[in-house]
Structures are given as C-alpha cells and as structure tokens.
Amino acid sequence: MAEKKSEKYLTPEKHTGIKTTDPKSNTAGIPGIMSAMKHGLTYMKTGQMVKTMFKLNQKGGIDCPGCAWPDPDDDRSRMGEFCENGMKAIAEEASKKVLHGGFFKKHSVSEMRTFTDFKLGKLGRVGTPLSYDQETDHYTPISWKNAFKEIAGELNSLEDPDHAAFYTSGRTSNEAAFIYQLFVRIFGTNNLPDCSNMCHESSGVGLSETLGLGKGSVTLRDIHEAELIVIMGQNPGTNHPRMLSALEKCKQNGGKIIAVNPLAEAGLMKFTDPKNPAKLISGGTTLTDLLLQVRINGDVALLKGIMKILLDREENDPGTVFDREFLEEYTAGYDDFIGELQKADLSECVQKSGIPLSLMETAAEWIAENEKIIVCWAMGLTQHKNGVQNVREIVNLLLLRGSVGKRGAGTCPVRGHSNVQGDRTMGIYEAPSDKFLDSLASHYNFNPPREHGYATVDTIREMKEGNVKFFMAMGGNFLSAGPDTQLIGKALSSCNMTVHVSTKLNRSHLAPGKKSIILPCLGRTEKDLQASGEQFVTVENSMGVIHSSRGVLPPCSKMLKSEVAIVCDLALATFSGEKAKIADWNHYQDNYDYIRDSIEAVIAGFENYNIRIKNNHYFYLPNGPRERQFNTPNGKANFSINPLPELKAEEEEFIMMTVRTHDQFNTTIYGLDDRYRGIYNERRVVLINPEDMKRLALRNRDEITLVSNYKGVRRTAKKFITIPYDIPRGCIATYFPEANSLVPYDEYADKSKTPISKSVIVSIEREPAKEALS
C-alpha cells in the first residue's frame, strides 16, 4: 500500500540549534580562506578541488557559476581568481556524491519534503534521468530515449502551444539559451519566464526607458577610476565578493564610497584581500566612507532629497553643480523633471528615507564635488512595487551630474547568476522585440509567434488557473526562488507534466506534476565531449563581456548530457514535418561552433563570434550609453518623474525584506552559518530593531509567526526566532527561501512584474507559550 503523500511544499519548520555572536566588521581574509578550503575538502575530491581552483575565472578556464561579477581583462591572479563563495559554488556542483536509482527507491518524494534545503543540496549529483511514479510517490530511472519520447508526446498532445511554459535559470550558457528559445518559438509560444523576472527585470525596464539599453554602462576599469561610488541595496561581501577587490582598487586610487542599505553589512565596511599577505597582516582596507542606513524602500526619498539639495545649490550658483553642456546636448525631459523636483518637500524626504538631513547634505556635497560617479545596485532596489522608479531615479541623479558615458562614471546594476544577462541577450524573454523576431525569422525561414508570453508571475497565475499544463525548467529552483511558495507548489503539482534539467535535487523536484521527469545535465566544471570533440560554452557577465567557459573534470556520471544536447535531442523527438527542417539540431549538438554562427547571424554585436572568442577568450558587446548613444525613441537620455512611494504599514506591522546568508547562493544553501551577521546554525530567524522588540515585549530568541495579508489572503511563516539587530525601526529582515511563503505572487513591480520580496508588509504573532530558545 502506497504511503500517504505530503502536500506541503514549504521549507521544513525545523530549528537546528542557533548560536549568535556580534556581527563582523571585516570580510574575507584568513576566515574566508579557511571557509573556502573547508567546503572544497569536505564535498570534493582533493585532486579535483585543486584542479578547478586554478582554472576558475581564468582565460580559457571555468566561469564561476557563483555570480556575474566580471573578470579582469588581463591582470588575473594565478593564485586564484575566485572568492570564498565561488569555491562553495564549485564544491556544491562538483560533489563527490552521485545519486542513482537505489537512493530514489529508498526515499519517497513526501519523505524528501521533510529534508531541509541544506540536506537536499548535500545529497549529491543526480546521476541518471528520472521519472516520477504517482502511485508509489517515488522517482524511478528512465532511459534518455524514453524520457524524450514522453516529453515530446506530452508537448504534441497540447491543444495550444501557450499551454506550455519554459523557464530558464541564469546558469544556462549562451549556446544552450539560444537554441532553447529557438526550440520554444518553433514549438509556437513566447512563454519564456526566467530568473531575471524575479530579480533585475526592474533594472532592465528602467534603464531601457531612460538610457535605451537594459544593461549597465560601466566597465571594471571604470570602477577602479571612479571618484565616487554609491552602492545601493546591495551586499557585495556575500553576493558578489570579488567586487570587493575592485572597490579596494577604487579606494587606493583616491575614490570614496557611499553605502545605502538598511543593514550595515560587513561587506560594505572593510575588506581584507586573502591573496595579499600585507593586507592579511594590516587588517585590510576600509571601504565605506559614508553609511546611509535607509529605511526599507526609502531610496527614492533619499535620492530625491539629495537632488533637492543639489538643485538649491545649482539655483544659488548656476552652472556649478549640474552639467549644463551634457544636459543640453544629450538629455530630454529636464524642465519637467526640475519642475517636479522643486515641489519636493525635503522634510518629507528625510522622514520617509529615515536619513538625517545632515547626512543627506554630506552625500549631496560629495556628489557635487565629484564628476566621475558610479551608482551600483542590486535587488534591494528592484524588488519593490516601485522597483522601476527606483532605477529611474538613480539615472536622474547621474544625468544631472553628466555621469553617464564617460570614464569612471555610469550605471552598474550588479546581477547575481553567472549568465542571467546573457540569457536575455540570447532571446530568453517573454516579450521579445519585433527586431529580434524579424532577425530570427529571416535566418531560420519560419514565422515565430508575435504575441507576448508569460513572465514568472503570469506563469504562476496560469498554472494555478489550469491554463499552463506543461512546465519545463532549464535549471534553477522555480518553487523556492519564486514568491508564494505553497501556491507555486500546488500549481506545479497540478500540471500534466513538469520537466527539470538539473545537476542536483532541489525543492522544485518535490512538487512533481501528474508526470514529472528530471534530466541530469553536466555542470560548468565538467568536460563536454560531443561528436566533433571537446566543447566550450560562453556567458555574458554584468558588464556586457562575453567570455568562454570550459570544464576540466570528467563527468560525475556517464548518464549526463549537456544542456545543448538535451535541447537538441528534445527537438529531434518533438518536431516532425516542416518544423523538423527549420534548424539542424544534429549539427548544433555535434559542434557548438554552429550555434555561435547562428547567434552571430541573428543578434547584433556578435560579429566574428567564433574567431574572437577562440583567439582571446572574451570580447565586449556594444554598449550605447557607454558612448553617449541612447537608443531611445527620441535618441536622448530621458529624465523621469518618480513620486515618493506610498508603502503604508500600520503601527503593529513591519516592512520585511528577504536576504541571503553568507552560506548561500540564491536558493542553494551551502551551510547553516551567516558568519558576517554573527548568526550560526540556523536559518529561521527575523532580524528586528531592539526598540521594536521592547515595544512588542519580545525577547531575544522568542519564537514567532510572521503573517502577511494581501487581497484577503493570509499567508504565514511559522517558527521564526527573533534576533535583535541594527536595522531601522519598523523594518525586519528574514532569509529566503524560508520567508518566500509570505510574498504574494500577485503583488509586483509596475511594468517589470518583479515580486515585492524586499518590501512585504507583515505582522508578528507569538507562538503559543514557549520559552525563548537558548
């Protein structure tokens, strides 16, 4: 008799034994070295660890899957061009454990739902294709041939191609992403939700509207040469650790740094370069010169307040603060913008941002004194109802100072996953431009669908309503990465079929559809051998640099296929008749040069793709704003008007933001410690201002329930532990994915549809009479 199946999709509500210390004020250094080595030695074979370390982020080597921060063009350290969390990412992927049929025979899906995300990730690599058996609630091995046959059969049985959705993770290479979107569009839909929908979509929309390109304008050299860098809503010490080396170089060149963040993160404060013995002895480099500990979603208020102060100075002494020559030649909308800025109430900006006027004036003074200004940001700005407006307000500030399109100045959205930007360049987009579709149609001689498809939140809604019946994920962990965890789990389980291309187990695999198949793929570290020989792939980093990645380790299982091979074999199984003739899938699989030739033919900027990437291992894509060429309808850089956000929390409510720990990359949990914040062996915590704790009569380590209520839907996250922390009053911070269950799927940023994961209104309820956890 089959065991009772669980229908709970949330991360388990378990405690693991919390320990706390004071937060750290310095990053990397010897503790970083020890942590990196510990993870490598624990989870990898020693010889393989050494082999990958010295190929990581080197020319012609392995691109680290841990983040999208750029590599130096030439000056790369032979001691290791990687960081602590890069080593964790490699150790996670190149695990010495491999799962085959015996493991899945022993453990049901319902049982695995009780595993923590950390335990799931450490089980090992998936070593064989798997098919879910509804009757037994177990995954069982399936041959590749039968897997493709079942998937193709399900796809071809759909009444409408729009009943299918095809998700993409940011780890997918350019080559795999390009042929994946081609497969999807030949199938007949633009339903291509991706991880960018959930993170930097607001950046892409805001930058496209104002500057004509949804990417940042700066290079790594610009970071080094900047006179002033403003870092907003970003924690580089954990999420982009190699950025700290670039910030250190800026400081050594005389630059200043302003950090804008609700938390005083260690990675914003000080950096000790682990590759520099002198720095290890001296204690490192102080990074932040001015910390503005803004209230959650107080960024527009802060920026507007700063610009109001700058405007007053400009009006008192015209031409000394604003770059009049730049404004007249390159911008539009200035007069309307200034008219609205003059109406701004500075005291209201101070109140809503939480930043004292004196500090706001200091920031404005530094901005007025320097010409080479860069603003960097991440999801602390994009995951709000007004995420697009946050990005546009940054552009307004830079335009006033003429700090776009010159050395040492510009926009710098810092993306997370290693090829999330490249996937979008390759056409992974639910709303493709006519220009892209025309080029695709011309090269392949077919008519791609023109109607825009489903973004991530649309896909969740359509699955919930029964309109998306087939869901395929090219990597990633859709259930844990998205908002409204329990709802996504039910929505996935309601599909006729779910398909996941994966290296390791994750929580999305534990919400199988009526049929579900897991297709195990090669990791970034592994050699990719095809009919024509060993292959390499390419990715695009945060600054628009295309570079190669080539694995060095043998595949952990003979049953693995590359992402490219999986897409090609699926296309061969799915298409017949005229559709089968549109692309030569066998050629694409045998030799990835043919894919790059097609990318070159379809997408501007990839001229001589194969030649350039083979000769130098990297090249820069064209970037209009970098050259003061703005591909907007009017050909100008556009000012925009962005009102102060109205985020109303009642007296007993809080604004919650979700954050990563230092032992985490996106939804991948490397360990249970958040070393820089001084929290160990526990993830179900809520960081709260001590004054708020006193007001609610909460003690350190009390057990509480967090509750959100949107559109009459009550969502809860239980068994969270209170931790007193330096965070603005009325604000709290929790870790994702544990708190994602509180984020409503149908509340998102205007225009970009990015979930509001950084500004969720919640209340606190006490757990029934329990002593504080010791």
Side-chain angles (χ1 to χ4, degrees):
M1 183 176 177
E3 59 190 282
K4 185 178 180 181
K5 300 174 188 177
S6 165
E7 293 186 352
K8 190 165 187 177
Y9 304 100
L10 305 179
T11 54
E13 295 162 350
K14 299 177 180 179
H15 292 139
T16 45
I18 188 169
K19 299 177 183 177
T20 59
T21 65
D22 291 335
K24 303 293 186 290
S25 59
N26 198 346
T27 52
I30 291 175
I33 295 172
M34 293 174 64
S35 175
M37 293 302 100
K38 176 184 175 183
H39 279 264
L41 292 169
T42 301
Y43 300 113
M44 297 177 70
K45 296 176 181 177
T46 303
Q48 292 190 348
M49 181 191 78
V50 174
K51 191 171 186 178
T52 56
M53 280 171 51
F54 294 104
K55 283 292 186 178
L56 201 54
N57 297 320
Q58 300 293 341
K59 282 188 179 182
I62 308 162
D63 177 68
C64 177
C67 80
W69 188 253
D71 309 314
D73 288 349
D74 296 300
D75 184 21
R76 303 192 190 186
S77 171
R78 298 306 301 177
M79 289 177 63
E81 190 61 50
F82 62 91
C83 66
E84 172 192 348
N85 280 0
M87 192 67 235
K88 291 176 184 176
I90 292 302
E92 185 77 13
E93 178 184 288
S95 170
K96 52 192 174 187
K97 296 181 181 178
V98 182
L99 304 178
H100 290 286
F103 172 86
F104 296 97
K105 185 177 182 180
K106 183 178 179 181
H107 300 285
S108 70
V109 166
S110 291
E111 181 192 355
M112 287 190 285
R113 283 183 188 148
T114 68
F115 296 174
T116 64
D117 293 320
F118 174 61
K119 181 175 179 178
L120 269 178
K122 297 308 180 188
L123 291 173
R125 290 283 296 276
V126 178
T128 186
L130 299 164
S131 175
Y132 178 64
D133 185 328
Q134 258 197 323
E135 291 299 314
T136 65
D137 194 34
H138 284 255
Y139 278 103
T140 59
I142 186 175
S143 70
W144 280 103
K145 181 179 179 180
N146 286 339
F148 289 129
K149 182 180 178 181
E150 286 197 20
I151 298 168
E154 191 66 36
L155 284 170
N156 288 323
S157 72
L158 295 175
E159 294 179 3
D160 187 329
D162 285 335
H163 290 168
F166 300 84
Y167 176 74
T168 310
S169 156
R171 76 172 295 280
T172 307
S173 69
N174 288 335
E175 290 77 6
F178 181 78
I179 62 169
Y180 186 50
Q181 65 80 29
L182 176 63
F183 167 82
V184 172
R185 292 188 165 109
I186 293 174
F187 179 68
T189 184
N190 281 314
N191 290 346
L192 281 159
D194 72 327
C195 59
S196 185
N197 295 153
M198 293 185 278
C199 56
H200 268 290
E201 196 71 57
S202 297
S203 298
V205 173
L207 291 172
S208 295
E209 287 182 351
T210 56
L211 301 180
L213 181 68
K215 303 177 182 181
S217 67
V218 303
T219 66
L220 196 55
R221 182 188 65 185
D222 292 323
I223 297 286
H224 300 159
E225 297 180 2
E227 296 168 344
L228 178 65
I229 296 177
V230 184
I231 303 171
M232 303 188 70
Q234 185 193 359
N235 178 15
T238 288
N239 301 335
H240 314 93
R242 289 194 303 140
M243 180 179 176
L244 301 181
S245 298
L247 295 176
E248 181 181 50
K249 189 165 286 190
C250 171
K251 292 300 297 286
Q252 290 169 344
N253 291 336
K256 288 184 176 180
I257 294 174
I258 298 174
V260 180
N261 204 60
L263 299 176
E265 303 284 18
L268 297 169
M269 299 297 105
K270 198 170 186 180
F271 168 60
T272 300
D273 186 351
K275 299 190 291 290
N276 187 329
K279 292 294 182 181
L280 290 173
I281 295 170
S282 68
T285 301
T286 298
L287 297 178
T288 291
D289 300 285
L290 178 64
L291 173 65
L292 302 179
Q293 211 163 340
V294 70
R295 286 178 51 82
I296 292 175
N297 205 18
D299 305 280
V300 167
L302 171 63
L303 291 166
K304 200 173 292 293
I306 289 171
M307 289 188 288
K308 178 76 170 177
I309 295 168
L310 293 174
L311 175 60
D312 290 344
R313 292 180 60 162
E314 173 69 13
E315 289 178 336
N316 289 331
D317 195 358
T320 61
V321 179
F322 295 171
D323 188 334
R324 295 286 180 174
E325 185 177 336
F326 172 82
L327 292 171
E328 291 173 11
E329 183 175 355
Y330 292 105
T331 72
Y334 172 79
D335 291 338
D336 290 341
F337 169 74
I338 292 298
E340 287 297 316
L341 186 59
Q342 287 170 333
K343 300 175 187 175
D345 183 340
L346 189 55
S347 62
E348 185 181 14
C349 293
V350 168
Q351 184 267 323
K352 290 198 170 184
S353 68
I355 300 302
L357 179 60
S358 60
L359 293 182
M360 206 178 278
E361 288 176 332
T362 299
E365 182 178 351
W366 290 9
I367 290 168
E369 289 174 348
N370 292 284
E371 295 184 358
K372 296 181 177 180
I373 303 167
I374 291 173
V375 181
C376 305
W377 70 91
M379 269 119 50
L381 263 69
T382 62
Q383 291 181 326
H384 301 278
K385 176 74 172 172
N386 52 287
V388 172
Q389 290 94 321
N390 286 342
V391 173
R392 297 192 318 194
E393 201 76 339
I394 288 172
V395 174
N396 286 338
L397 175 62
L398 292 172
L399 293 182
L400 289 177
R401 295 291 294 128
S403 287
V404 175
K406 65 182 180 185
R407 286 191 47 173
T411 58
C412 185
V414 185
R415 301 182 188 269
H417 224 316
S418 59
N419 199 39
V420 62
Q421 186 161 299
D423 289 347
R424 181 56 56 85
T425 302
M426 293 297 105
I428 299 293
Y429 191 24
E430 78 281 356
S433 67
D434 286 339
K435 181 179 178 181
F436 176 82
L437 294 177
D438 289 344
S439 185
L440 201 67
S442 174
H443 182 67
Y444 287 102
N445 194 29
F446 85 110
N447 294 316
R450 297 283 169 163
E451 184 177 351
H452 287 176
Y454 300 145
T456 292
V457 294
D458 303 320
T459 300
I460 296 168
R461 181 192 66 241
E462 296 301 318
M463 279 196 294
K464 171 180 171 285
E465 295 178 359
N467 297 322
V468 166
K469 306 173 188 299
F470 175 97
F471 177 85
M472 179 172 177
M474 181 61 70
N477 183 356
F478 187 77
L479 186 150
S480 293
D484 233 329
T485 312
Q486 181 69 7
L487 185 146
I488 293 181
K490 290 181 178 179
L492 284 169
S493 295
S494 71
C495 290
N496 290 341
M497 176 176 274
T498 53
V499 178
H500 298 276
V501 179
S502 304
T503 56
K504 304 187 81 173
L505 284 179
N506 63 53
R507 202 154 294 280
S508 294
H509 305 140
L510 309 184
K514 297 179 181 69
K515 300 176 185 176
S516 187
I517 291 176
I518 300 175
L519 304 176
C521 67
L522 294 172
R524 195 74 64 77
T525 56
E526 291 167 319
K527 293 181 180 179
D528 183 354
L529 294 173
Q530 302 298 336
S532 67
E534 189 175 327
Q535 306 296 309
F536 68 87
V537 294
T538 59
V539 296
E540 178 184 347
N541 66 35
S542 263
M543 295 181 180
V545 181
I546 302 294
H547 54 105
S548 63
S549 181
R550 186 189 295 270
V552 298
L553 302 180
C556 67
S557 166
K558 294 180 180 179
M559 293 295 290
L560 305 185
K561 285 181 178 283
S562 71
E563 291 174 321
V564 167
I566 288 171
V567 175
C568 291
D569 282 342
L570 180 57
L572 291 168
T574 303
F575 298 140
S576 60
E578 291 303 311
K579 284 188 175 182
K581 301 175 184 177
I582 292 173
D584 192 334
W585 302 101
N586 285 313
H587 269 68
Y588 281 166
Q589 180 172 344
D590 291 348
N591 190 329
Y592 299 174
D593 284 356
Y594 294 120
I595 304 175
R596 288 185 283 271
D597 286 342
S598 293
I599 293 170
E600 177 182 334
V602 171
I603 304 173
F606 286 85
E607 295 78 12
N608 301 312
Y609 194 173
N610 276 305
I611 294 173
R612 286 194 286 170
I613 205 69
K614 290 179 179 179
N615 286 348
N616 202 36
H617 303 294
Y618 76 92
F619 62 87
Y620 284 79
L621 289 176
N623 188 298
R626 195 174 289 162
E627 308 298 329
R628 294 190 168 177
Q629 298 171 1
F630 304 107
N631 188 29
T632 56
N634 60 9
K636 300 284 187 177
N638 290 301
F639 280 93
S640 59
I641 296 171
N642 307 293
L644 294 178
E646 291 294 334
L647 191 61
K648 296 179 180 178
E650 301 299 329
E651 186 176 348
E652 297 299 310
E653 293 178 327
F654 293 83
I655 303 172
M656 181 192 80
M657 64 177 184
T658 60
V659 298
R660 294 185 196 171
T661 76
H662 192 61
D663 259 359
Q664 173 179 358
F665 174 70
N666 290 347
T667 61
T668 302
I669 311 302
Y670 302 138
L672 298 176
D673 296 341
D674 195 1
R675 187 173 81 244
Y676 293 158
R677 296 190 186 109
I679 300 168
Y680 296 86
N681 205 43
E682 183 58 73
R683 293 187 52 82
R684 300 188 74 83
V685 301
V686 53
L687 310 185
I688 182 171
N689 186 289
E691 292 300 314
D692 285 326
M693 292 182 69
K694 182 190 258 186
R695 177 170 58 87
L696 297 179
L698 290 170
R699 300 166 299 172
N700 184 11
R701 302 189 187 181
D702 266 352
E703 199 171 299
I704 62 165
T705 293
L706 295 169
V707 180
S708 70
N709 199 319
Y710 285 83
K711 298 177 181 176
V713 178
R714 174 184 163 93
R715 299 171 175 86
T716 62
K718 299 179 179 180
K719 295 186 180 297
F720 274 71
I721 303 169
T722 56
I723 303 292
Y725 208 83
D726 182 11
I727 186 171
R729 293 190 65 175
C731 302
I732 61 174
T734 54
Y735 299 145
F736 74 84
E738 285 80 3
N740 283 5
S741 58
L742 298 165
V743 184
Y745 83 95
D746 51 359
E747 290 286 334
Y748 43 77
D750 298 330
K751 297 188 176 184
S752 71
K753 297 184 178 180
T754 301
I756 58 166
S757 301
K758 292 291 188 289
S759 54
V760 182
I761 296 175
V762 301
S763 59
I764 290 176
E765 295 181 356
R766 296 175 183 275
E767 291 285 333
K770 286 189 178 180
E771 291 298 315
L773 297 179
S774 58

